[in-house]
C-alpha cells in the first residue's frame, strides 16, 4: 500500500512538473527541438527542396547572400562577425538619426565635385544581391536592394571621379541605344530632393546631377538618367530613372549599385507601379549557404499570408512602419504594454540585421528566455548580445518558441535561425538587442525575417507574413 501511494505521488509530481515546465503533450506549442548542426554555417551552396519553382516566374528574381557560398562574388572582402555587427549598429544609429533628426548634416552646395556629408542610412549590411539587366542591349549587373533607400543607381563609365571595384563590367552608357540623360529643367530632376535629401545640381551641359550619401560614409554622385530596365526576360521597363554614378565609394562589396525599395516616387516600387501595383515581396533563406531566396514584384497567390497594417510616420514617410503590440516566449505572452512599441514606433527593414526592441521589452524577452533555457550553460557575452550559451558536446537543443505580435491579430513565429546567432561552437547567442534610448524606434531586422515571405502592399497599405515562404 505504501508503494502504491508513492507511485501515485510520483505520478502527480511528474504531471505537475510536465505542466509547469511545458514538457507535456502540448510541448510542441511551446518548444522546438533542433539539431545544433542546423545553426552552423555551411561552406557549400545548397538548393532547398521546392525552391526551384520560383525560377522564370513573372516578376521573380533570385537572390543570394552577398558573402555566402552561392554568391558569384565568392568571399572577397567578407567581413568577420564583429565587423558585421558593428556595421549593423551603424545602420541602426543612422536610421535613428534620420528619423528623429537628432543630428543634421548641412552640406554646402558648390559647383565642384566633392564627396558630401553623411545623410542616409548605412549600407554595410545590405547583404542580399539580385541580377538585373540595364540598357539595350542589356548589361547584366548584380546589385543590392534596400527597403530603407529610394534612389536606384549603378556605377557608370567613364567613372569621371572614382569607382570602387565591382564584379561585373561597369555599365557603359555609350554601348546602349536607349540611354538618355535627364535635363536640369525636367520635373524629374526636382524630385531628387525628396529621394536623397540633396538638391540636384546642374552640369555644364545642363544635365541633372544627383547626390546620395549614406550614414557610414558611402556615397554615389553622378548623372540622373533614363534607361531600359530588365528585371526578367518578360518584365522590361523603358525610361527607368536611375543614377549613373561617376563618383562612388563605400561598403557596397562588389555589387554594381543599389535598388531602392522605399515609398518615394523615384523608388523601383513606384516606377513599376503600373505593372506590379506597388506590391513586392521577398524571402530571405535561413542560412547564407542557401540559394532558395527571392525578390518578387507583383501580388501573386498568397493564401497563407496574414497582413498587418502598414503605418506612415510623418518624420519619414518612405520607411515601412508596423504596429507591433507584443512578444511571446514559449507560448507565454510577455508583460509588455502595447504602448511600449507605439511611440516612437516600429519599422521593418531589409538592411538591418538584428532586431532592436525598446529596452523594457528586450529585458522582458531576455528574462523569460533565460528561464526557459536555465538547463544550459551560459557563455560570455558577445556585444551586442548579452545572452549566450555553450552547447559544446550536444547534438540537439530544446528552445522556446518566440512569437512577435502585430496589429490585426498577426503572429509571426520567428524561425529557429532567427532566434540564435552563431558566434563559435561554444558561443551561440539570443539574436535580439535593446535600444539605448527610449526615443529610439524599434526595428524588425532581416535575421528575424528569415524563411518568411514578407509582402509589402503599398496600395493596400499592409505588410504580410507567410511561413515557409522560401519553399
Amino acid at each position: 500500500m505504501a508503494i502504491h501511494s508513492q507511485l501515485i505521488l510520483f505520478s502527480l509530481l511528474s504531471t505537475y512538473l510536465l505542466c509547469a515546465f511545458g514538457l507535456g503533450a502540448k510541448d510542441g506549442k511551446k518548444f522546438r527541438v533542433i539539431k545544433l548542426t542546423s545553426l552552423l554555417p555551411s561552406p557549400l551552396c545548397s538548393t532547398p527542396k521546392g525552391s526551384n519553382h520560383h525560377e522564370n516566374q513573372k516578376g521573380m528574381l533570385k537572390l543570394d547572400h552577398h558573402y555566402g557560398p552561392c554568391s558569384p562574388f565568392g568571399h572577397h572582402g567578407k567581413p568577420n562577425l564583429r565587423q558585421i555587427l558593428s556595421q549593423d549598429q551603424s545602420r541602426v544609429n543612422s536610421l535613428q538619426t534620420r528619423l528623429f533628426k537628432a543630428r543634421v548634416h548641412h552640406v554646402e552646395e558648390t559647383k565642384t565635385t566633392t564627396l558630401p556629408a553623411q545623410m542616409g542610412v548605412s549600407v554595410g549590411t545590405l547583404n542580399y544581391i539580385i541580377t538585373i539587366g540595364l540598357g539595350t542591349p542589356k548589361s547584366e549587373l548584380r546589385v543590392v536592394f534596400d527597403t530603407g533607400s529610394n534612389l536606384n543607381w549603378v556605377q557608370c563609365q567613364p567613372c569621371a571621379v572614382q569607382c570602387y571595384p565591382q564584379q561585373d563590367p561597369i555599365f557603359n552608357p555609350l554601348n546602349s541605344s536607349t540611354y538618355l540623360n535627364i535635363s536640369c529643367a525636367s520635373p524629374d530632376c526636382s524630385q531628387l530632393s525628396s529621394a536623397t535629401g540633396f538638391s540636384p545640381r546642374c552640369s555644364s551641359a545642363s544635365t541633372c546631377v544627383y547626390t546620395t550619401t549614406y550614414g557610414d560614409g558611402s556615397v554615389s554622385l553622378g548623372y540622373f538618367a533614363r534607361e531600359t530596365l530588365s528585371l526578367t526576360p518578360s518584365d522590361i521597363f523603358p525610361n527607368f530613372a536611375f543614377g549613373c554614378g561617376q563618383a562612388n565609394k563605400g561598403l557596397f562589396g562588389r555589387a554594381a549599385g543599389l535598388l531602392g525599395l522605399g515609398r518615394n516616387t523615384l523608388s523601383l516600387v513606384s516606377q513599376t507601379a503600373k505593372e506590379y501595383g506597388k506590391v513586392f515581396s521577398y524571402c530571405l533563406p535561413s542560412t547564407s549557404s542557401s540559394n532558395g531566396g527571392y525578390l518578387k514584384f507583383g501580388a501573386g497567390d498568397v493564401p497563407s499570408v496574414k497582413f498587418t497594417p502598414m503605418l506612415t510616420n510623418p518624420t519619414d514617410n518612405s520607411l515601412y512602419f508596423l504596429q507591433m503590440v507584443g512578444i511571446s516566449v514559449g507560448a507565454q505572452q510577455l508583460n509588455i504594454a502595447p504602448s511600449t512599441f507605439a511611440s516612437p514606433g516600429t519599422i521593418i527593414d531589409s538592411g538591418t540585421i538584428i532586431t532592436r526592441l525598446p529596452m523594457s521589452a528586450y529585458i522582458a524577452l531576455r528574462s523569460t528566455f533565460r528561464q526557459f533555457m536555465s538547463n544550459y550553460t551560459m557563455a560570455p557575452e558577445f556585444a551586442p548580445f548579452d545572452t549566450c550559451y555553450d552547447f559544446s558536446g550536444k547534438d540537439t537543443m530544446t528552445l522556446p518558441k518566440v512569437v512577435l505580435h502585430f496589429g490585426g491579430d498577426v503572429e509571426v513565429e520567428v524561425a529557429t535561425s532567427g532566434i540564435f546567432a552563431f558566434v563559435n561552437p561554444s558561443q551561440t547567442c539570443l539574436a535580439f538587442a535593446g535600444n539605448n534610448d527610449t526615443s529610439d524606434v524599434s526595428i524588425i531586422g532581416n535575421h528575424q525575417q528569415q524563411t518568411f515571405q514578407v509582402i509589402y502592399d503599398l496600395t493596400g497599405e499592409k505588410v504580410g507574413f507567410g511561413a515557409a515562404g522560401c519553399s
Side-chain angles (χ1 to χ4, degrees):
M1 188 68 178
I3 295 177
H4 180 69
S5 298
Q6 290 176 359
L7 289 174
I8 293 176
L9 180 61
F10 177 79
S11 177
L12 291 172
L13 180 61
S14 298
T15 301
Y16 168 77
L17 291 173
L18 288 173
C19 293
F21 291 95
L23 301 176
K26 295 184 179 180
D27 174 40
K29 291 185 178 181
K30 296 183 178 182
F31 293 91
R32 287 179 181 156
V33 179
I34 66 167
K35 293 183 177 180
L36 286 170
T37 54
S38 67
L39 298 177
L40 303 179
S42 171
L44 302 176
C45 179
S46 65
T47 301
K49 184 178 180 181
S51 65
N52 288 333
H53 75 278
H54 297 315
E55 297 181 5
N56 301 317
Q57 287 189 27
K58 182 175 177 60
M60 182 79 74
L61 289 80
K62 176 176 162 295
L63 67 81
D64 290 309
H65 194 280
H66 201 135
Y67 299 106
C70 301
S71 170
F73 302 157
H75 294 286
H76 182 89
K78 180 180 180 180
N80 60 40
L81 182 58
R82 287 198 183 277
Q83 291 172 323
I84 290 171
L85 293 173
S86 176
Q87 291 170 2
D88 194 43
Q89 188 59 53
S90 176
R91 182 173 177 95
V92 170
N93 292 343
S94 59
L95 273 168
Q96 306 295 1
T97 299
R98 171 175 158 181
L99 278 166
F100 298 102
K101 314 300 182 185
R103 296 183 299 273
V104 178
H105 300 273
H106 296 284
V107 179
E108 182 181 356
E109 306 258 354
T110 68
K111 293 183 179 180
T112 59
T113 303
T114 57
L115 297 181
Q118 303 166 12
M119 292 291 289
V121 293
S122 299
V123 293
T125 49
L126 299 182
N127 287 331
Y128 296 96
I129 58 172
I130 57 173
T131 301
I132 62 169
L134 195 65
T136 307
K138 72 177 181 181
S139 299
E140 289 199 341
L141 301 170
R142 295 169 178 88
V143 296
V144 292
F145 67 90
D146 182 19
T147 58
S149 299
N150 293 301
L151 186 70
N152 312 282
W153 63 267
V154 300
Q155 297 198 112
C156 284
Q157 296 284 15
C159 283
V161 178
Q162 68 180 96
C163 278
Y164 59 83
Q166 68 178 52
Q167 181 79 9
D168 301 308
I170 294 175
F171 180 71
N172 191 341
L174 296 179
N175 294 336
S176 173
S177 63
T178 47
Y179 178 88
L180 181 66
N181 282 327
I182 293 175
S183 73
C184 298
S186 169
D188 297 320
C189 186
S190 63
Q191 295 182 40
L192 283 169
S193 296
S194 62
T196 67
F198 289 88
S199 297
R201 304 182 188 184
C202 197
S203 73
S204 58
S206 297
T207 296
C208 185
V209 176
Y210 77 92
T211 303
T212 186
T213 68
Y214 304 92
D216 50 25
S218 300
V219 61
S220 179
L221 181 153
Y223 301 118
F224 196 40
R226 290 194 178 276
E227 185 54 283
T228 296
L229 171 70
S230 303
L231 294 181
T232 72
S234 61
D235 296 271
I236 300 174
F237 300 91
N239 300 314
F240 180 74
F242 79 110
C244 195
Q246 299 295 310
N248 317 285
K249 70 171 186 176
L251 301 177
F252 303 105
R254 298 184 68 82
L258 183 149
L259 289 184
L261 301 182
R263 301 165 76 173
N264 184 270
T265 55
L266 290 181
S267 74
L268 176 61
V269 182
S270 296
Q271 290 197 60
T272 59
K274 288 184 179 179
E275 180 69 20
Y276 300 133
K278 287 192 174 182
V279 178
F280 71 94
S281 62
Y282 53 71
C283 184
L284 310 178
S286 60
T287 67
S288 61
S289 60
S290 171
N291 67 355
Y294 61 84
L295 172 64
K296 183 182 186 306
F297 294 93
D301 184 21
V302 288
S304 62
V305 174
K306 294 183 178 180
F307 287 94
T308 185
M310 177 189 297
L311 308 180
T312 301
N313 188 310
T315 306
D316 192 323
N317 57 16
S318 67
L319 294 173
Y320 296 97
F321 277 80
L322 307 177
Q323 182 188 10
M324 190 170 183
V325 296
I327 304 172
S328 293
V329 178
Q332 174 183 331
Q333 181 130 1
L334 304 181
N335 186 22
I336 305 172
S339 58
T340 304
F341 302 103
S343 178
T346 302
I347 65 172
I348 182 168
D349 181 44
S350 68
T352 300
I353 298 175
I354 302 301
T355 291
R356 299 316 202 272
L357 300 170
M359 186 56 74
S360 60
Y362 173 69
I363 290 173
L365 166 65
R366 178 184 66 187
S367 175
T368 305
F369 189 84
R370 286 180 177 181
Q371 290 174 20
F372 278 110
M373 299 290 289
S374 59
N375 288 335
Y376 296 100
T377 302
M378 293 198 72
E381 298 180 3
F382 191 91
F385 307 131
D386 61 7
T387 300
C388 303
Y389 296 90
D390 183 353
F391 297 125
S392 301
K394 298 185 182 297
D395 295 323
T396 62
M397 173 190 59
T398 302
L399 76 160
K401 294 182 178 181
V402 177
V403 177
L404 308 180
H405 299 267
F406 298 97
D409 267 344
V410 173
E411 297 182 353
V412 177
E413 184 182 324
V414 180
T416 302
S417 61
I419 296 176
F420 276 127
F422 176 83
V423 178
N424 58 57
S426 60
Q427 200 172 19
T428 302
C429 305
L430 176 65
F432 291 80
N435 281 328
N436 296 322
D437 195 282
T438 55
S439 65
D440 288 345
V441 70
S442 301
I443 306 173
I444 307 301
N446 62 43
H447 194 69
Q448 282 67 39
Q449 298 174 45
Q450 289 176 352
T451 75
F452 287 93
Q453 181 184 19
V454 185
I455 300 179
Y456 297 73
D457 184 343
L458 280 69
T459 302
E461 297 186 334
K462 56 186 179 180
V463 176
F465 297 90
C470 296
S471 60

